[in-house]
Amino acid sequence: MSNQSFKFKLLLIIASVSLTACSHLQTQSNAATQVQQIPHFESYSAAIIEPKLVRSSIVIEKQLNDRQGVPMPPGEESVKIVAGTQPIIITAPHSVRPFRNGKYRFSDGGATAAYAIALAELVGAHVIYANYENGTDPNYQDDNEFKRELAGLIEQVNPVLVLDIHGSNPMRSYDLDIGTMNGDSLLGQAGLVTDLIDTLAKEGIFNISYNRFSASKQQTIAKFASKRGVPTLQLEVNATYLMPSEGHIEAQRYAILLQAFSRYISNTVLSKQGE
């Protein structure tokens, strides 16, 4: 290539970069004008989670965590239902240790049930959770008390959505994995996932995995509920969002997740149901 040809091409590149820069500056100028016209702070909503709600969750978390290996006392129930007012069901089947293939496995933590109860308090949902170990795994097999109670609750409530809450290893690379049986458990309502991801992003939760744990295998809650005509999301939540008693940052992450899902249910799921 001759020097003259090289200089000509270099001039073209410089001119192109200059035009791009000018365009970018103009865009920034226009954006700045818009910000001046509409105060930026107006795009934010006031926080809705109070410390007392997190503190009450810590109490429930500890109660359930302390039940590892503890026989169920007389008069107690291995499965608990907390009635709500809205057609939403939140499940926490592994809040105590499940029994699978001849042995008890690790639980997802008592905070999965504590979270379900706190979220239900905010949005009026119904909750069903494992209260004591009873030699079954509700997310692995169907012939157990949890599934029988869930079937009755579905028939009674006629829910528009089931959220199945699980805790995931803190070493996982995601904040949340959304399992939908590779789309089948949505029953055609793909917007349930896109709306959830949008809501989570507004709350600063961006690291989303999709169907790493799809809920397609075994006799999962997602499979059970969707067969009964209810769209279901299996939510594998990184444990760092489900350990409020561990300290300040964990408690805050717990509150952030509560706020995100309460807004998702109230502002998206239930509001669209009324349209």
Side-chain angles (χ1 to χ4, degrees), residues 79-92 120 124-129 145-163 221 224-225 228 230:
V79 178
K80 280 265 191 177
I81 293 177
V82 181
T85 58
Q86 298 292 342
I88 303 285
I89 294 176
I90 308 171
T91 64
H126 302 259
V127 176
I128 177 170
Y129 68 95
E145 184 183 358
F146 194 100
K147 287 284 183 59
R148 288 189 287 274
E149 293 287 347
L150 177 58
L153 191 59
I154 288 173
E155 186 175 348
Q156 172 192 339
V157 172
N158 192 25
V160 296
L161 179 65
V162 167
L163 296 176
I221 299 289
F224 186 84
R228 285 158 176 75
V230 187

